[in-house]
């Protein structure tokens, strides 16, 4: 996995601190310290798997002698009933880690599955699906990773690594042209500049000002079509706002480069996956 | 708010570290350090508000001279178009904090709104809606708080503060009776004991063993009705598993005490709230 | 051990940061990096062992190639002179970890020993000895664990996981009956409710209000006896306040269920254990 | 107070995280958010006060609008019944902070009181009482501070800031003379060097080797008297091991400079102080 | 200042923990708790100021009642003897914070001064001076900020927010063209792509492959001149490697866009600034 | 290495968080997860090596299956072209860790090299070179360690572990004699006391007051020579301030014991070391 190992470990420790706190009183009083068991992660719904290494890592942080066999990897499509992985080790640790592992696995797979659905809908067009900064505190790397596993691409990671001129910036600078020229003077040469636009006049001004990317904010299809024509490849175009599964393909066919969807990370439906312990 | 202040601050700092990292390059290069502005949080959909103090706190952590007027409080019902709060202060800080504030506010209000919907559906019955341990890492206190704001109640917070005998525990101890008697000997006297059951025989055994709470796991309505009759108030009954908006009231009318719903926290739909900066 | 491994590691790292800071200047300048040695933990007084895994973990965090043989386990009774464990590894690490290991081991064993003394005193009665929330910052899980190793049981772990109505709560609500009824409406169904009482009238009211547990606060034996009679099993009774080794058995024989003793964790006498390095 | 403010805050936050975790369920459900109250810290036993600023800080971290009047300061002698301080503010915060404030105040005052007792016993001699490295994880600065408040002095704070040659070091170097000469070559010029000795031959060797401080480890009074004569002011002498209240003055009168007592910090008896909330 | 406030606070707390640890034993034993004093930051050499807000913040974290007057701001040129700021408050805190404040101020001003020197050398050319990723652990934001204060621009902040194909990447992908095309498919649309080149053939290939930025790695002036001609504005050109004060202007006049200099942050000479306390 | 392992790990994690943040987008998109490679650390300049274990640890934290062969150890002299170490493992991890490893290795070796240069200059005299408290936040242990690797000695580590009376302390106490006598009463017996002096009268007073160490602050050689004569071994003498490579030997030959040099840690020139990956 591409996420740094200790970032993953920190997330897991945070989760376990919340979920166990002091002791798993039921398990510690009932299950013998030496009891050994096996467990299986099984898909209870169709979707795209994401987070299996994270889920297995939960158990290794509780007890470093776990062994596991992985049948499905991040990015694999799951059918209801598929066995994802099996693991073997301390029964106590299996019971203590179950909820944390599932919470992470279901959330990440939920994002990958939702992203994949969007990606399939626009297949064959030149558009890409991206996430936004509408993520949950502490989980942004996990969530952005899950979007890529689902076939999406990442928008800027944070406010340092991409510049985006919104209406407040533009008003403060006295228009798009002024704003772009002001920021270009000092902006790092590795940082791309996107300009938010609400109508074709703004699109035109953004093109001439030399924006790298132009966001078409809540525009109707007709206007976006005209924007694509006007731009003619001189900047990337990002459609944003109010795009649903019903309109997604239509928007993609207009010829925009990027369709960004906040719901991929702000309104996640967990994918149903279970863990059966024996 | 009942959550400890520094827990809130830590969540916000984590979010800002992810979202700003080094600098908001657009804002810092375009907006003057002394610029002053106002902002409004406005509901873009109907729902129940949760997290307004958290959202406002974001700005105070960025700049401690903010002033705000709050029109709606946690637990208030929102109509689309309602002004929730206004705040005034550094424009830079308004722009830097906007995303973090909205991410938190929309997530928390999403949970409160979904909980409220369930609570309204069972109004007049004796049942309560509760959350589960299916929460997101680092956010459990925020999420559980939002459930109470929406009118729900909290299930156990973690594995230390409530005992629940699941099938693995019961099998290891040789049945419900043995498991309950084994755990009672050492369990703290302030910890309640819940037993998971899958059929009426197990319900009977759990009652006789002296469980405080009995979970009716994925039972049909007919079986739950019989469980209510059998139990006759000697234990609290919790219905769990596969309950949807369509079946929720029917289950509540059977006479169970608790209906626990994982989706309240594992599959949250953000409530649409915007922040308009001037 | 039932405490999460990384909680233990964090405590140990905190201790080592305090105790070593930058370098063990004596050891690093005198002892060769490759020197190898053995050490023995030996009891210098009678008592109950607690924390041997924690003590050994200190050395593994300093150097992961240590080997150890454990002769006594948590909960075992120690006689002065007993060899508890032997370990073998880097002499530098033995010298650097000695103080931290002993500080933890002596403190935890001190708690287990003091608890065991109380438990032995009330043997044969139905009463249990419990701890309180009178613990030292950062050490609560270690301390509560040591109480269970000494044969005691744990009172509530924190203010979230048990409700206790004290006089301030009762006065604010207008009496025990009102307070209990007010809190029951919203309290999680897994949280037990204890009511603090100072006289028999309050005990009566607490019983009728439906308290799960009633604390008999600083009552004399005669009053407690009457409380036991009045309650007749309808609630658990906890004796608390001013109970000494001299009065402990007498209180237990009255028939209360719980005797809570703050001194178990707030006034700990370290058990004398030494570590001999060769 | 001399301890850095954020060290104090970190200790308090750790304590509150343990003690409240998510919410003080009793208080948050019963006491109104706007309720205001007053509280008094009162001595329930004679002793030396330590930690009143720390205790008051607890409440300011929970709610920054507290007001307090302090009648007794760190180092003041307390008589049973003395009012130490009064504070006024949110009743919820008073109830939530009470246990944490008392746990810290009673522990620190317990240490100051025990130290003061020792200091009084040796009044008029040239000896000083010092602590050791036998402290509790995370609490060393608090504990060492309390020793100074009780009139004691601090031994080395950690293994970096003082060198002490123990038997293992001496054996590894081939005797005291070799060990001292080896370490002097590299030891920082601001670091003092102490040598542990078990008999008069070792004392003699340590003097000649040029030790700054010589520890007389578990020696009887006769031997220590001879050591004082032999040393004749050429090094500081520290008596250590097995010194009780009964023997303390006798040891001090021998003429040693330092008497170090581990029990000051490893076996603390909390001083009884209460907090009355109205 | 544009750096997030709590990042600054964390750096300062880390520094103070290292520098004070437990107590400033000299100051706490000699200076009265109530003593009040004033201090002045004075330039002892010519340079560019950076970090004055950070330096003053040190004292506010030690004691929140400090007052200060700032005469010079970040980015101002200093002449030896200039008074930068005056502050007034607790003498103890002045003495405790002095070293930490100066360490930060001198380091940041050292970077700004060195950057400014480079910027002045290339004045009038189109080239910009940038930093690199050759920074010190924990200090990257401070260091990169100081570069901008000195008039430089920032290269990519980290490995997430800019893509750079080095020889290992290019070899693995089978050449520049393959590497660029492979990465473009998945790279976020806000991330710029730079290609490292060592000769004109590679420059040509990078241009045709569509690199946003081309690094001319350790090329001589003649080759760089040819690269500028070949590129003809189709990509930004970055000169890197072995550029000294002597060659800097010559390189800039060739027409490259960016000159990156690792020494700005990896080999910092502190600017001499003193703090005089009265 | 003498630095605690988890201190090193924390520094490295901090560095990697800054340098990678979310993902090394170039490497993760181009280099296969299973690719294996080797790398060599090679000296590009003459100097003294420091930090090779730290540098290698970077890779083990990214992937625990690395293997390495170390040819040069901390303290070894390097000639340009020397191979320092080779390592073999995941190509992705080699590329991700390269910058962090080099940043640490070059900084530490830069300090050791600069220290060694000073040490060589005064060879044969009785003087030692020491560092100061002029270090960078978070890096003090690394920097002080590097000074010892270069043959220098450490001055006090922090304000707790050495007392130094500066002019402000002396003025507040009413002169050197008063200050020394005031502080001696309470100062821990393991803490050495240094007095800063600016002229021979102060030196005389410091000797008579019983200072352990006397700092000769910015004195000319003639004055220092007289100070050495006056002191005649009754205290250690530390020359400090304005000493350059040109004057260093001359100062050492005067007969002072300690020459402290702030630039060793506040103005570090990185030693040029490269890492070649294949």
């Amino acid at each position: 996995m591409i996420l740094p190992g200790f970032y993953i470990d920190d997330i897991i420790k945070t989760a376990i601190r919340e979920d166990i706190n002091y002791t798993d009183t039921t398990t510690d009083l009932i299950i013998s310290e030496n009891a050994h068991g096996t467990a299986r992660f099984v898909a209870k719904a169709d979707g795209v798997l994401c987070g299996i290494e994270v889920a297995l890592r939960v158990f290794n942080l509780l007890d470093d002698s776990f062994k596991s066999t992985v049948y499905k990897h991040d990015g694999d499509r799951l059918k209801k009933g598929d066995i994802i992985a099996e693991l073997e080790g301390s029964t106590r640790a299996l019971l203590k880690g179950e909820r944390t592992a599932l919470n992470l696995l279901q959330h990440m797979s939920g994002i990958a599955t939702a992203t994949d659905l969007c990606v399939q809908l626009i297949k064959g067009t030149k558009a890409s699906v991206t996430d936004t900064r509408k993520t949950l505190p502490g989980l942004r790397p996990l969530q952005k990773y899950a979007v890529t596993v689902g076939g999406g691409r990442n928008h800027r990671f944070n406010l340092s690594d991409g510049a985006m001129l919104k209406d407040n910036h533009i008003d403060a600078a006295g228009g798009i042209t002024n704003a772009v020229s002001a920021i270009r003077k000092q902006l790092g040469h590795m940082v791309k500049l996107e300009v938010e636009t609400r109508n074709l006049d703004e699109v035109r001004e953004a093109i001439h000002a030399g924006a790298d990317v132009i966001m078409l904010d809540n525009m109707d299809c007709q206007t976006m079509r005209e924007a694509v024509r006007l731009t003619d490849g001189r900047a990337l175009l990002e459609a944003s706002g109010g795009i649903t599964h019903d309109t997604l393909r239509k928007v993609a066919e207009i010829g925009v480069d990027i369709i960004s969807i906040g719901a991929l990370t702000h309104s996640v439906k967990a994918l149903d996956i279970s863990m059966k312990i024996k």
Side-chain angles (χ1 to χ4, degrees), chain A residues 106-107 110-115 132-136 143 147 245 261-271:
Chain A
Q106 293 185 352
H107 184 70
I111 293 172
T113 300
T115 306
T132 63
R133 285 167 42 239
K134 297 176 182 173
T135 61
L136 294 172
Q143 292 192 313
V147 167
H245 286 170
I261 303 177
L264 294 179
T265 53
H266 75 52
S267 294
V268 181
K269 187 170 172 305
L271 184 68

PDB file of all heavy atoms in Angstrom, chain A residues 106-107 110-115 132-136 143 147 245 261-271:
ATOM      1  N   GLN A 106     -14.871  -1.381   5.805  1.00  0.00           N
ATOM      2  CA  GLN A 106     -16.171  -1.056   5.203  1.00  0.00           C
ATOM      3  C   GLN A 106     -16.197   0.386   4.697  1.00  0.00           C
ATOM      4  O   GLN A 106     -16.795   0.679   3.668  1.00  0.00           O
ATOM      5  CB  GLN A 106     -17.284  -1.268   6.232  1.00  0.00           C
ATOM      6  CG  GLN A 106     -17.461  -2.742   6.618  1.00  0.00           C
ATOM      7  CD  GLN A 106     -18.640  -2.960   7.554  1.00  0.00           C
ATOM      8  OE1 GLN A 106     -19.247  -2.012   8.032  1.00  0.00           O
ATOM      9  NE2 GLN A 106     -18.962  -4.213   7.810  1.00  0.00           N
ATOM     10  N   HIS A 107     -15.543   1.281   5.453  1.00  0.00           N
ATOM     11  CA  HIS A 107     -15.525   2.692   5.033  1.00  0.00           C
ATOM     12  C   HIS A 107     -14.696   2.852   3.764  1.00  0.00           C
ATOM     13  O   HIS A 107     -15.135   3.485   2.789  1.00  0.00           O
ATOM     14  CB  HIS A 107     -14.937   3.547   6.160  1.00  0.00           C
ATOM     15  CG  HIS A 107     -14.955   5.011   5.886  1.00  0.00           C
ATOM     16  ND1 HIS A 107     -16.119   5.750   5.864  1.00  0.00           N
ATOM     17  CD2 HIS A 107     -13.968   5.897   5.616  1.00  0.00           C
ATOM     18  CE1 HIS A 107     -15.843   7.027   5.592  1.00  0.00           C
ATOM     19  NE2 HIS A 107     -14.540   7.137   5.441  1.00  0.00           N
ATOM     20  N   GLY A 110     -16.357   1.231   0.887  1.00  0.00           N
ATOM     21  CA  GLY A 110     -17.526   2.028   0.507  1.00  0.00           C
ATOM     22  C   GLY A 110     -17.131   3.153  -0.439  1.00  0.00           C
ATOM     23  O   GLY A 110     -17.811   3.414  -1.443  1.00  0.00           O
ATOM     24  N   ILE A 111     -16.025   3.800  -0.146  1.00  0.00           N
ATOM     25  CA  ILE A 111     -15.548   4.889  -1.016  1.00  0.00           C
ATOM     26  C   ILE A 111     -15.098   4.350  -2.367  1.00  0.00           C
ATOM     27  O   ILE A 111     -15.447   4.892  -3.423  1.00  0.00           O
ATOM     28  CB  ILE A 111     -14.384   5.638  -0.333  1.00  0.00           C
ATOM     29  CG1 ILE A 111     -14.888   6.379   0.901  1.00  0.00           C
ATOM     30  CG2 ILE A 111     -13.727   6.613  -1.313  1.00  0.00           C
ATOM     31  CD1 ILE A 111     -13.800   6.988   1.767  1.00  0.00           C
ATOM     32  N   ALA A 112     -14.343   3.260  -2.339  1.00  0.00           N
ATOM     33  CA  ALA A 112     -13.856   2.688  -3.600  1.00  0.00           C
ATOM     34  C   ALA A 112     -15.023   2.241  -4.470  1.00  0.00           C
ATOM     35  O   ALA A 112     -15.018   2.418  -5.699  1.00  0.00           O
ATOM     36  CB  ALA A 112     -12.911   1.514  -3.315  1.00  0.00           C
ATOM     37  N   THR A 113     -16.021   1.682  -3.830  1.00  0.00           N
ATOM     38  CA  THR A 113     -17.188   1.188  -4.575  1.00  0.00           C
ATOM     39  C   THR A 113     -17.971   2.338  -5.199  1.00  0.00           C
ATOM     40  O   THR A 113     -18.372   2.273  -6.370  1.00  0.00           O
ATOM     41  CB  THR A 113     -18.092   0.366  -3.622  1.00  0.00           C
ATOM     42  OG1 THR A 113     -17.327  -0.723  -3.113  1.00  0.00           O
ATOM     43  CG2 THR A 113     -19.329  -0.156  -4.340  1.00  0.00           C
ATOM     44  N   ALA A 114     -18.166   3.393  -4.438  1.00  0.00           N
ATOM     45  CA  ALA A 114     -18.908   4.541  -4.965  1.00  0.00           C
ATOM     46  C   ALA A 114     -18.125   5.214  -6.091  1.00  0.00           C
ATOM     47  O   ALA A 114     -18.709   5.680  -7.084  1.00  0.00           O
ATOM     48  CB  ALA A 114     -19.186   5.537  -3.834  1.00  0.00           C
ATOM     49  N   THR A 115     -16.812   5.289  -5.929  1.00  0.00           N
ATOM     50  CA  THR A 115     -15.993   5.891  -6.981  1.00  0.00           C
ATOM     51  C   THR A 115     -16.054   5.058  -8.250  1.00  0.00           C
ATOM     52  O   THR A 115     -16.230   5.575  -9.355  1.00  0.00           O
ATOM     53  CB  THR A 115     -14.520   5.992  -6.513  1.00  0.00           C
ATOM     54  OG1 THR A 115     -14.475   6.681  -5.276  1.00  0.00           O
ATOM     55  CG2 THR A 115     -13.688   6.746  -7.548  1.00  0.00           C
ATOM     56  N   THR A 132     -12.629  15.697  -3.586  1.00  0.00           N
ATOM     57  CA  THR A 132     -12.541  17.110  -3.211  1.00  0.00           C
ATOM     58  C   THR A 132     -11.845  17.181  -1.848  1.00  0.00           C
ATOM     59  O   THR A 132     -11.307  16.189  -1.385  1.00  0.00           O
ATOM     60  CB  THR A 132     -13.943  17.715  -3.069  1.00  0.00           C
ATOM     61  OG1 THR A 132     -14.600  17.016  -1.994  1.00  0.00           O
ATOM     62  CG2 THR A 132     -14.756  17.549  -4.343  1.00  0.00           C
ATOM     63  N   ARG A 133     -11.881  18.354  -1.237  1.00  0.00           N
ATOM     64  CA  ARG A 133     -11.375  18.497   0.133  1.00  0.00           C
ATOM     65  C   ARG A 133     -12.476  18.255   1.161  1.00  0.00           C
ATOM     66  O   ARG A 133     -12.286  18.527   2.346  1.00  0.00           O
ATOM     67  CB  ARG A 133     -10.762  19.892   0.316  1.00  0.00           C
ATOM     68  CG  ARG A 133      -9.393  20.044  -0.361  1.00  0.00           C
ATOM     69  CD  ARG A 133      -8.944  21.504  -0.451  1.00  0.00           C
ATOM     70  NE  ARG A 133      -9.217  22.225   0.755  1.00  0.00           N
ATOM     71  CZ  ARG A 133      -9.994  23.316   0.842  1.00  0.00           C
ATOM     72  NH1 ARG A 133     -10.544  23.847  -0.239  1.00  0.00           N
ATOM     73  NH2 ARG A 133     -10.209  23.894   1.998  1.00  0.00           N
ATOM     74  N   LYS A 134     -13.610  17.733   0.736  1.00  0.00           N
ATOM     75  CA  LYS A 134     -14.735  17.443   1.658  1.00  0.00           C
ATOM     76  C   LYS A 134     -14.532  16.077   2.302  1.00  0.00           C
ATOM     77  O   LYS A 134     -15.244  15.125   2.010  1.00  0.00           O
ATOM     78  CB  LYS A 134     -16.055  17.532   0.888  1.00  0.00           C
ATOM     79  CG  LYS A 134     -16.307  18.939   0.353  1.00  0.00           C
ATOM     80  CD  LYS A 134     -17.553  19.060  -0.485  1.00  0.00           C
ATOM     81  CE  LYS A 134     -17.682  20.502  -1.007  1.00  0.00           C
ATOM     82  NZ  LYS A 134     -18.786  20.669  -1.958  1.00  0.00           N
ATOM     83  N   THR A 135     -13.558  16.003   3.187  1.00  0.00           N
ATOM     84  CA  THR A 135     -13.183  14.736   3.809  1.00  0.00           C
ATOM     85  C   THR A 135     -13.389  14.816   5.320  1.00  0.00           C
ATOM     86  O   THR A 135     -13.690  15.879   5.846  1.00  0.00           O
ATOM     87  CB  THR A 135     -11.700  14.434   3.521  1.00  0.00           C
ATOM     88  OG1 THR A 135     -10.917  15.484   4.098  1.00  0.00           O
ATOM     89  CG2 THR A 135     -11.425  14.370   2.028  1.00  0.00           C
ATOM     90  N   LEU A 136     -13.177  13.704   5.992  1.00  0.00           N
ATOM     91  CA  LEU A 136     -13.377  13.672   7.442  1.00  0.00           C
ATOM     92  C   LEU A 136     -12.038  13.822   8.173  1.00  0.00           C
ATOM     93  O   LEU A 136     -11.039  13.242   7.749  1.00  0.00           O
ATOM     94  CB  LEU A 136     -14.066  12.374   7.830  1.00  0.00           C
ATOM     95  CG  LEU A 136     -15.502  12.283   7.278  1.00  0.00           C
ATOM     96  CD1 LEU A 136     -16.091  10.906   7.511  1.00  0.00           C
ATOM     97  CD2 LEU A 136     -16.386  13.346   7.945  1.00  0.00           C
ATOM     98  N   GLN A 143      -9.060   8.269   2.792  1.00  0.00           N
ATOM     99  CA  GLN A 143     -10.183   8.496   1.879  1.00  0.00           C
ATOM    100  C   GLN A 143      -9.696   8.770   0.459  1.00  0.00           C
ATOM    101  O   GLN A 143     -10.247   8.252  -0.502  1.00  0.00           O
ATOM    102  CB  GLN A 143     -11.043   9.656   2.392  1.00  0.00           C
ATOM    103  CG  GLN A 143     -11.781   9.328   3.695  1.00  0.00           C
ATOM    104  CD  GLN A 143     -12.836  10.368   4.040  1.00  0.00           C
ATOM    105  OE1 GLN A 143     -12.581  11.574   3.989  1.00  0.00           O
ATOM    106  NE2 GLN A 143     -14.028   9.922   4.390  1.00  0.00           N
ATOM    107  N   VAL A 147     -10.290   6.584  -3.071  1.00  0.00           N
ATOM    108  CA  VAL A 147     -10.786   7.107  -4.346  1.00  0.00           C
ATOM    109  C   VAL A 147      -9.922   6.597  -5.503  1.00  0.00           C
ATOM    110  O   VAL A 147     -10.435   6.177  -6.541  1.00  0.00           O
ATOM    111  CB  VAL A 147     -10.817   8.657  -4.315  1.00  0.00           C
ATOM    112  CG1 VAL A 147     -11.010   9.224  -5.722  1.00  0.00           C
ATOM    113  CG2 VAL A 147     -11.922   9.136  -3.382  1.00  0.00           C
ATOM    114  N   HIS A 245     -25.691  10.742 -10.353  1.00  0.00           N
ATOM    115  CA  HIS A 245     -25.504   9.564 -11.203  1.00  0.00           C
ATOM    116  C   HIS A 245     -26.279   9.720 -12.508  1.00  0.00           C
ATOM    117  O   HIS A 245     -25.844   9.239 -13.555  1.00  0.00           O
ATOM    118  CB  HIS A 245     -25.947   8.307 -10.466  1.00  0.00           C
ATOM    119  CG  HIS A 245     -24.991   7.883  -9.397  1.00  0.00           C
ATOM    120  ND1 HIS A 245     -25.257   6.918  -8.470  1.00  0.00           N
ATOM    121  CD2 HIS A 245     -23.734   8.317  -9.120  1.00  0.00           C
ATOM    122  CE1 HIS A 245     -24.226   6.775  -7.667  1.00  0.00           C
ATOM    123  NE2 HIS A 245     -23.292   7.612  -8.036  1.00  0.00           N
ATOM    124  N   ILE A 261     -16.455  15.244  -7.285  1.00  0.00           N
ATOM    125  CA  ILE A 261     -17.668  14.812  -6.580  1.00  0.00           C
ATOM    126  C   ILE A 261     -17.399  14.730  -5.082  1.00  0.00           C
ATOM    127  O   ILE A 261     -16.745  13.810  -4.600  1.00  0.00           O
ATOM    128  CB  ILE A 261     -18.124  13.428  -7.114  1.00  0.00           C
ATOM    129  CG1 ILE A 261     -18.341  13.510  -8.634  1.00  0.00           C
ATOM    130  CG2 ILE A 261     -19.387  12.974  -6.396  1.00  0.00           C
ATOM    131  CD1 ILE A 261     -18.728  12.196  -9.280  1.00  0.00           C
ATOM    132  N   GLY A 262     -17.926  15.682  -4.327  1.00  0.00           N
ATOM    133  CA  GLY A 262     -17.715  15.739  -2.884  1.00  0.00           C
ATOM    134  C   GLY A 262     -18.272  14.546  -2.146  1.00  0.00           C
ATOM    135  O   GLY A 262     -17.693  14.080  -1.162  1.00  0.00           O
ATOM    136  N   ALA A 263     -19.392  14.035  -2.641  1.00  0.00           N
ATOM    137  CA  ALA A 263     -20.063  12.951  -1.921  1.00  0.00           C
ATOM    138  C   ALA A 263     -19.211  11.692  -1.813  1.00  0.00           C
ATOM    139  O   ALA A 263     -19.426  10.869  -0.917  1.00  0.00           O
ATOM    140  CB  ALA A 263     -21.390  12.626  -2.593  1.00  0.00           C
ATOM    141  N   LEU A 264     -18.221  11.538  -2.707  1.00  0.00           N
ATOM    142  CA  LEU A 264     -17.361  10.350  -2.624  1.00  0.00           C
ATOM    143  C   LEU A 264     -16.750  10.204  -1.238  1.00  0.00           C
ATOM    144  O   LEU A 264     -16.535   9.092  -0.761  1.00  0.00           O
ATOM    145  CB  LEU A 264     -16.220  10.439  -3.661  1.00  0.00           C
ATOM    146  CG  LEU A 264     -16.615  10.385  -5.143  1.00  0.00           C
ATOM    147  CD1 LEU A 264     -15.368  10.507  -6.011  1.00  0.00           C
ATOM    148  CD2 LEU A 264     -17.377   9.095  -5.455  1.00  0.00           C
ATOM    149  N   THR A 265     -16.457  11.330  -0.608  1.00  0.00           N
ATOM    150  CA  THR A 265     -15.827  11.265   0.717  1.00  0.00           C
ATOM    151  C   THR A 265     -16.667  11.873   1.838  1.00  0.00           C
ATOM    152  O   THR A 265     -16.440  11.565   3.001  1.00  0.00           O
ATOM    153  CB  THR A 265     -14.453  11.981   0.704  1.00  0.00           C
ATOM    154  OG1 THR A 265     -14.640  13.309   0.173  1.00  0.00           O
ATOM    155  CG2 THR A 265     -13.445  11.237  -0.153  1.00  0.00           C
ATOM    156  N   HIS A 266     -17.633  12.751   1.516  1.00  0.00           N
ATOM    157  CA  HIS A 266     -18.394  13.336   2.638  1.00  0.00           C
ATOM    158  C   HIS A 266     -19.664  12.567   2.969  1.00  0.00           C
ATOM    159  O   HIS A 266     -20.224  12.741   4.042  1.00  0.00           O
ATOM    160  CB  HIS A 266     -18.644  14.836   2.455  1.00  0.00           C
ATOM    161  CG  HIS A 266     -19.681  15.256   1.454  1.00  0.00           C
ATOM    162  ND1 HIS A 266     -20.965  14.770   1.418  1.00  0.00           N
ATOM    163  CD2 HIS A 266     -19.627  16.179   0.461  1.00  0.00           C
ATOM    164  CE1 HIS A 266     -21.645  15.356   0.445  1.00  0.00           C
ATOM    165  NE2 HIS A 266     -20.857  16.212  -0.157  1.00  0.00           N
ATOM    166  N   SER A 267     -20.109  11.716   2.069  1.00  0.00           N
ATOM    167  CA  SER A 267     -21.331  10.949   2.326  1.00  0.00           C
ATOM    168  C   SER A 267     -21.109   9.507   1.907  1.00  0.00           C
ATOM    169  O   SER A 267     -21.633   9.041   0.908  1.00  0.00           O
ATOM    170  CB  SER A 267     -22.514  11.567   1.563  1.00  0.00           C
ATOM    171  OG  SER A 267     -22.808  12.855   2.058  1.00  0.00           O
ATOM    172  N   VAL A 268     -20.330   8.831   2.724  1.00  0.00           N
ATOM    173  CA  VAL A 268     -19.895   7.475   2.381  1.00  0.00           C
ATOM    174  C   VAL A 268     -20.891   6.444   2.898  1.00  0.00           C
ATOM    175  O   VAL A 268     -21.298   6.508   4.052  1.00  0.00           O
ATOM    176  CB  VAL A 268     -18.514   7.202   3.023  1.00  0.00           C
ATOM    177  CG1 VAL A 268     -18.028   5.798   2.665  1.00  0.00           C
ATOM    178  CG2 VAL A 268     -17.513   8.261   2.600  1.00  0.00           C
ATOM    179  N   LYS A 269     -21.253   5.516   2.057  1.00  0.00           N
ATOM    180  CA  LYS A 269     -22.065   4.369   2.492  1.00  0.00           C
ATOM    181  C   LYS A 269     -21.116   3.193   2.663  1.00  0.00           C
ATOM    182  O   LYS A 269     -20.450   2.778   1.716  1.00  0.00           O
ATOM    183  CB  LYS A 269     -23.124   4.075   1.422  1.00  0.00           C
ATOM    184  CG  LYS A 269     -24.125   3.020   1.835  1.00  0.00           C
ATOM    185  CD  LYS A 269     -25.285   2.958   0.842  1.00  0.00           C
ATOM    186  CE  LYS A 269     -26.188   1.772   1.153  1.00  0.00           C
ATOM    187  NZ  LYS A 269     -25.493   0.473   1.207  1.00  0.00           N
ATOM    188  N   ALA A 270     -21.021   2.698   3.896  1.00  0.00           N
ATOM    189  CA  ALA A 270     -20.130   1.570   4.168  1.00  0.00           C
ATOM    190  C   ALA A 270     -20.504   0.375   3.317  1.00  0.00           C
ATOM    191  O   ALA A 270     -21.693   0.102   3.116  1.00  0.00           O
ATOM    192  CB  ALA A 270     -20.210   1.206   5.650  1.00  0.00           C
ATOM    193  N   LEU A 271     -19.507  -0.331   2.804  1.00  0.00           N
ATOM    194  CA  LEU A 271     -19.780  -1.568   2.073  1.00  0.00           C
ATOM    195  C   LEU A 271     -19.905  -2.700   3.094  1.00  0.00           C
ATOM    196  O   LEU A 271     -19.068  -2.835   3.985  1.00  0.00           O
ATOM    197  CB  LEU A 271     -18.636  -1.874   1.090  1.00  0.00           C
ATOM    198  CG  LEU A 271     -18.884  -3.108   0.216  1.00  0.00           C
ATOM    199  CD1 LEU A 271     -20.019  -2.869  -0.782  1.00  0.00           C
ATOM    200  CD2 LEU A 271     -17.614  -3.501  -0.547  1.00  0.00           C
TER     201      LEU A 271
END
